Amino acid sequence: MSQSIVLGGGCFWCMEAVFRDMAGILSIAPGYAGGHTAEPTYKQVCTGQTGHAEVIRLEFDPSVIGYEDVLRIFFTLHNPTTLNRQGDDIGTQYRSVIFYADDVQKNAALTVKAEIEKANLWDAPIVTEIVPLETFWPAEAMHFDYYERNPNTGYCQAVIAPKVAKARKLYASRFKRAGI
């Protein structure tokens, strides 16, 4: 039986690319969550006025990769210490956030966050929000598999490719196939 998790760690293109091809990840959908606008569009979310964060919804096989392991990877592959920012992407839509579905997920997220803080992996306090998921709104089709379809664009080369390379180096044993 699969499980799901909704995570925001800056640009959803980056998050999707990082988790792509990891063993146990069954599907990835970029989208929006945490705001007040129904059926938001990318253009609306980019204004910062909808309250939504760019997120990904991961469906995963917990017998291959556990919820806590997904969170540990999440906390190491984006900067969870910058409020409403990832690199040059600035605004609440780029915030670090974990949306939980129930108390089990909430408690696990709080535990992993505390574990990461205690390990001192970052030089500043972690500002990742841990909040209940109300609604996940899938992004427009053009945002699905963005890095895979557009690897040679400037943003993909400058921002996404280094994150994917870092993920493959740190978590090589978790990937289904070699290469980027």
Side-chain angles (χ1 to χ4, degrees):
M1 176 181 232
S2 69
Q3 292 183 13
S4 67
I5 185 171
V6 176
L7 302 168
C11 170
F12 52 28
W13 297 339
C14 293
M15 295 296 294
E16 179 187 47
V18 162
F19 282 99
R20 174 156 309 290
D21 296 325
M22 274 195 187
I25 302 298
L26 305 174
S27 69
I28 307 172
Y32 316 107
H36 50 77
T37 301
E39 299 181 31
T41 65
Y42 181 72
K43 186 175 180 179
Q44 290 172 321
V45 172
C46 285
T47 69
Q49 301 301 307
T50 67
H52 288 291
E54 287 190 19
V55 297
I56 58 170
R57 181 181 62 209
L58 296 175
E59 296 289 331
F60 62 96
D61 179 345
S63 71
V64 178
I65 186 169
Y67 181 84
E68 292 86 352
D69 289 331
V70 170
L71 290 174
R72 287 182 188 103
I73 293 166
F74 165 76
F75 274 117
T76 60
L77 294 177
H78 81 292
N79 186 341
T81 70
T82 54
L83 186 64
N84 302 326
R85 179 182 192 147
Q86 287 298 306
D88 291 336
D89 292 332
I90 300 171
T92 57
Q93 66 270 31
Y94 302 113
R95 66 190 179 269
S96 177
V97 59
I98 300 165
F99 290 97
Y100 61 85
D102 56 33
D103 285 341
V104 172
Q105 285 189 351
K106 176 185 177 181
N107 292 332
L110 290 168
T111 298
V112 171
K113 180 180 176 184
E115 172 189 308
I116 299 297
E117 287 173 327
K118 186 176 178 183
N120 292 315
L121 297 179
W122 297 97
D123 293 334
I126 292 174
V127 296
T128 303
E129 297 175 1
I130 299 172
V131 295
L133 177 64
E134 292 181 18
T135 304
F136 170 83
W137 301 100
E140 299 85 342
M142 68 177 280
H143 299 293
F144 284 68
D145 304 313
Y146 187 84
Y147 177 66
E148 189 171 282
R149 292 183 298 101
N150 302 281
N152 297 317
T153 63
Y155 186 84
C156 289
Q157 287 295 303
V159 178
I160 301 175
K163 288 185 181 205
V164 171
K166 179 181 177 181
R168 289 192 172 271
K169 181 178 179 183
L170 288 175
Y171 302 105
S173 65
R174 292 201 175 271
F175 283 89
K176 297 181 267 191
R177 62 180 171 91
I180 292 179

